Amino acid sequence: MAAMMQPQIILLKEGTDTSQGKAQLVSNINACTAVADVVRTTLGPRGMDKLIHDDKGNTTISNDGATIMKLLDIVHPASKILVDIAKSQDSEVGDGTTTVVLLAGEFLKEAKPFIEDGVHSQNLIRSYRTACYLAINKIKELAVSIEGRSLEEKKTLLAKCAATTLSSKLIGGEKEFFASMVVDSVIAIGNDDRLNLIGIKKVPGGTMRDSFLVNGVAFKKTFSYAGFEQQPKKFLNPKILLLNIELELKSEKENAEIRLSDPLQYQSIVDAEWNIIYEKLDKCAQSGAKIILSRLAIGDLATQYFADRDVFCAGRVTEEDLQRVAAATGGTVQTSVNNVIDEVLGSCELFEERQVGNERFNIFSGCPSSQTATIVLRGGADQFIEEAERSLHDAIMIVRRAMKNSTVVAGGGAIDMEISRYLRQHARTIAGKSQLFINSYAKALEVIPRQLCDNAGFDATDVLNKLRQKHALPSGEGALYGVDINTGGIADSFANFVWEPAVVKINAINAATEAACLILSVDETVKNPKSESAQGEAAMGRGRGRGRGMRR
């Protein structure tokens, strides 16, 4: 009786929302499944796109898992983990963002019945981690290396990887055209890891086929002054001077004060200003450079001066473009025009100003160090070009990854089915509940081929049964079979060149398992109440002095 009379202990602030136990776990799993359902239909070559309209009125049409997840603005705390794994997959590998969200959602979906039946989530987590470890080792075993091939062979193989990535994107219809462009641009930057050395410029108008790759730098014509049109627009083997200074007549600061005893002295001050600018321009012209680019403004006096001397100049070039010109031409950006020596000047085989659609572009090609490339994208609608850029980013990342970790696996759900078969087989050798959990993990992996079929409008059950039968052959010849998107049957993915770098799958399975385990390990959510508004606090201040619990 005494125990029943104990007063309730209040630990948390009034209004704190706590939910815990099995119900909370199931609620988190449901929320994550709902997020996975959003991106489910975007998977694969026949995946649909999402149109997202935000509060600022911007419209985005995208097929990229990470982009959709970012724009969805998810507020559920557990579901945010799925947004994070999509972002990490995007930054680490570049592709497979939809796959990773789908796998994490499916792992949780498979775990839900066990949780409802009272299985402790730690048992599930332990089994899932074991299954993940086994799956990744199996991928490494099945991966085929493309190391040691000739450059031409390697180019062809990398183009196949890029084409597989692009097949699920909006520009999938022109995947061969863009795949070779992506491979050329990645090979151009060599071993340099900086992605910004590959520039992507978007010009509305024309068709996708009008897009082109510049083995060098291309940027839009900058703001120009009088005299600009008199400058030559084409040079062969010019010297290039890169500056970070203004070539303009500068008026003195407003509060600058000069005291003169004689009005005639005023002219000498004006002359001095003109002398300073002319001296700078003379030094630029004497350097022998035929092209002068500056990050800051080049005024009308300088523009006309250079036009008279058959020199091309462009001011207000963006920092990024200037750095890429420096990397490509071998020049160094100067902060002064004093003693400009030949070593700091860049060079290229051909410079020309060319009309692209509605814009004029300055194009530097045939660069000596050629550690940069620019893709000029064309297309009808702005949203289309934006999505094309996102698609190319994924393909560029994939090709870079394939060059670094030169192992590939069969795509089209083949690798997922093979790991699933392997895990089911392994589960039979384990005694205890763990056998069921690893089996459910194996079943979850089948979501990839199943979704590929659903999105293409095929009978998923029929195709999956054919795949299971093929993968179960004792000879192991069916290990490379995946979904054939063109016929609705199954085909040897490897022979059909549906390839993806092994690192994509390894990263996706790792991240998805990690996210699933993280969500399964949470059994309570504590939501602190919002602190009172300023008015509420003021009222509290006025009401102080009353006893607790007294009426106001």
Side-chain angles (χ1 to χ4, degrees), residues 407-419:
T407 52
V408 293
V409 290
I415 189 79
D416 307 271
M417 286 304 289
E418 185 57 23
I419 300 165

Side-chain angles (χ1 to χ4, degrees), residues 241 278-288 305 337-340:
L241 174 61
Y278 271 120
E279 196 182 333
K280 282 183 181 175
L281 297 177
D282 287 338
K283 283 178 177 166
C284 292
Q286 284 159 17
S287 67
Y305 177 94
V337 287
N338 295 329
N339 55 34
V340 175

Side-chain angles (χ1 to χ4, degrees), residues 154-218:
K154 230 178 187 177
K155 265 189 177 178
T156 316
L157 301 177
L158 290 170
K160 299 279 192 296
C161 287
T164 305
T165 299
L166 291 171
S167 63
S168 65
K169 309 290 184 201
L170 204 56
I171 53 176
E174 301 287 356
K175 61 183 182 186
E176 276 80 18
F177 173 70
F178 283 110
S180 60
M181 195 184 278
V182 165
V183 173
D184 288 344
S185 65
V186 174
I187 288 175
I189 67 167
N191 295 326
D192 204 315
D193 264 354
R194 288 174 298 168
L195 249 189
N196 58 3
L197 289 177
I198 299 177
I200 297 181
K201 302 291 177 189
K202 297 168 286 205
V203 186
T207 64
M208 280 193 295
R209 280 264 167 193
D210 294 337
S211 306
F212 59 91
L213 174 75
V214 177
N215 267 328
V217 186

Side-chain angles (χ1 to χ4, degrees), residues 53-79:
H53 188 260
D54 64 14
D55 51 1
K56 295 189 185 79
N58 299 330
T59 305
T60 310
I61 297 175
S62 184
N63 188 287
D64 181 42
T67 307
I68 296 168
M69 298 294 274
K70 276 180 213 159
L71 293 171
L72 279 179
D73 204 13
I74 291 167
V75 290
H76 191 283
S79 307

Side-chain angles (χ1 to χ4, degrees), residues 302-435:
T303 306
Q304 189 61 59
Y305 177 94
F306 290 136
D308 295 342
R309 286 160 182 74
D310 282 348
V311 173
F312 175 90
C313 71
R316 297 201 179 104
V317 178
T318 60
E319 175 76 33
E320 191 187 324
D321 286 331
L322 201 66
Q323 291 303 336
R324 285 180 42 238
V325 172
T329 60
T332 315
V333 179
Q334 300 297 300
T335 50
S336 157
V337 287
N338 295 329
N339 55 34
V340 175
I341 51 173
D342 268 358
E343 281 73 49
V344 300
L345 297 178
S347 64
C348 69
E349 278 175 25
L350 174 68
F351 165 80
E352 62 177 333
E353 187 167 295
R354 197 177 347 154
Q355 190 80 19
V356 180
N358 222 2
E359 308 283 356
R360 272 156 71 181
F361 269 75
N362 298 330
I363 297 173
F364 298 80
S365 47
C367 302
S369 46
S370 181
Q371 274 196 320
T372 178
T374 308
I375 296 171
V376 179
L377 276 182
R378 307 295 310 278
D382 280 346
Q383 282 97 339
F384 183 88
I385 302 178
E386 295 285 339
E387 175 61 5
E389 183 190 14
R390 282 190 287 271
S391 308
L392 286 184
H393 169 266
D394 284 8
I396 287 167
M397 292 287 282
I398 282 298
V399 173
R400 284 175 68 220
R401 286 281 170 250
M403 277 179 80
K404 286 252 167 71
N405 316 319
S406 50
T407 52
V408 293
V409 290
I415 189 79
D416 307 271
M417 286 304 289
E418 185 57 23
I419 300 165
S420 178
R421 178 202 62 79
Y422 166 69
L423 287 177
R424 282 175 205 269
Q425 214 172 334
H426 180 82
R428 294 197 192 107
T429 64
I430 300 169
K433 291 180 193 161
S434 191
Q435 182 186 93

